[in-house]
Amino acid sequence: MSNKLDTSPYKGVRDFYPEDMWLEKYMFETMRKAVESYGYVEYTASILEPAELYKAKSGQEIVNEQTYTFTDRGNREVTLRPEMTPTVARMVAGRRRDLGFPLRWYSIPNLFRYENPQRGRLREHYQLNVDVFGITGLSAEVEIISVANAIMQGFGAHDADYSILINSRKLLKELFELFNISEEKSYTLSKLIDKKEKVSAEDFLSGVEELIGDNAKELVALLSSNQKLLERIGEDHETVKTILSVITSLDQLGIKNVIFTPTLMRGFDYYTDIVFEVFDTHPENNRSLFGGGRYDNLLELFGNDSVPAVGFGMGDVTLADFLRTHNLLPAYRSEVGAVLATIGAVDENEVAILAQSFRSKGLNVAVTIGAKKPADVIKNTLKQGVKYIIFVGEDELSKKVYTFKDLTTEETSSLSFDDIVRSIQS
Ligand code: HAM
């Protein structure tokens, strides 16, 4: 028959088979451990949001080209959330009078963007979001970047494996003002700078020339020399002091791989000052793992109060690529401790009771009744990635000594209940 359904998932999204899910769980647990050690608590929300939530501040590209938006049966425009920041801003604004600030919140939502699927970019991903609300001082930036660093260390990464790129939008705004660039052109220029790494140096320069004319060469030169740029803005300027202070504080915390990168803009319109990204330094996987920054005005969308906020998002797709590239992926091991398989005719109730006794010792045990041959049990248990099999027949049940097989060493032994528990737990 030709009209059978396809088994592949929808374009750009993933199925998580148990081994993939195991890796997801490992990544999420490692993230949770690091962020919770800094006092962050978990929240979540629905995937569905009113489309208007993204129109004000997320940025043209994401709203016009990347959202999954549809009209529901009640004629409402609904979007599958492409990012979590507008949602968390909505939630904090909704309860701002009852919440005890500063808030330290995290979440691991599934997000949807209509992208051209490629390595590191899918139409669906999970993204750890870590945000602190209610701190105006730079201690918020320092803390948030330290959390990002702690996550990387939690995965066993070394300093040389990644760089933390940091910039200040206010500093660039100051630079644009020194060049008398209008606000409208500054916006277009920021978008151009954001895409700088994706085009050739000539194309970048001619794009800037088109926008600002003869000054383009000087501006582009300043963007590629941190020292000259800082001198031009002036050592005593607030924006220069801010960025240097964040870098120094991080250095004092032992975080040395921070690089001031004036061309780092970040796509979203809501960032107000410091922005940062964590970049994989490996030449084969040179991409961003985290992105974030300060967004002090986003909550004003929901009322008069502004609440200062700093945070970042870290995706699971890029993280898995990073771990694979740097040989940091742990080997898969099934969470099932053993398969308990019957041989020949047995009293199934007695087998069930035996399985319960193993579970009461904290072991995860799956029961297979009535397998035709031990070889079949072995073949399927190997496919499931389970390490041990406990074979049970009438004889074993009466003697309380069981045939225990370790599939990695292929050794078989006759063991008592307690010895089996000890072997699996060791
Ligand atoms: P973002 O830079 O769009 O920021 O995403 C953050 C991270 O999510 C990226 O560095 C990447 O690891 C991952 N990511 C983004 N899009 C995709 C995709 N299509 N496929 C796979 N991974 C992806 C934000 O979303 C901000 N809302 C983060 C934030 C939180 N800022 C403040 N708080």
Side-chain angles (χ1 to χ4, degrees), residues 83 85 113 115 121-122 127 131 266 270-271 289 318:
E83 56 155 339
T85 312
R113 298 184 188 181
E115 303 231 28
R121 281 272 171 270
L122 298 179
Q127 190 190 84
D131 294 87
R266 310 248 327 114
Y270 47 67
Y271 293 117
L289 302 168
T318 40

Side-chain angles (χ1 to χ4, degrees), residues 3-22:
N3 57 348
K4 296 284 187 203
L5 291 177
D6 191 354
T7 57
S8 18
Y10 167 74
K11 184 175 175 181
V13 309
R14 297 165 292 171
D15 290 328
F16 292 89
Y17 284 75
E19 285 197 24
D20 310 315
M21 203 56 213
W22 179 84

Side-chain angles (χ1 to χ4, degrees), residues 47-60:
I47 287 171
L48 300 177
E49 284 284 7
E52 66 184 17
L53 184 63
Y54 306 100
K55 294 199 171 144
K57 286 271 181 172
S58 284
Q60 299 291 319

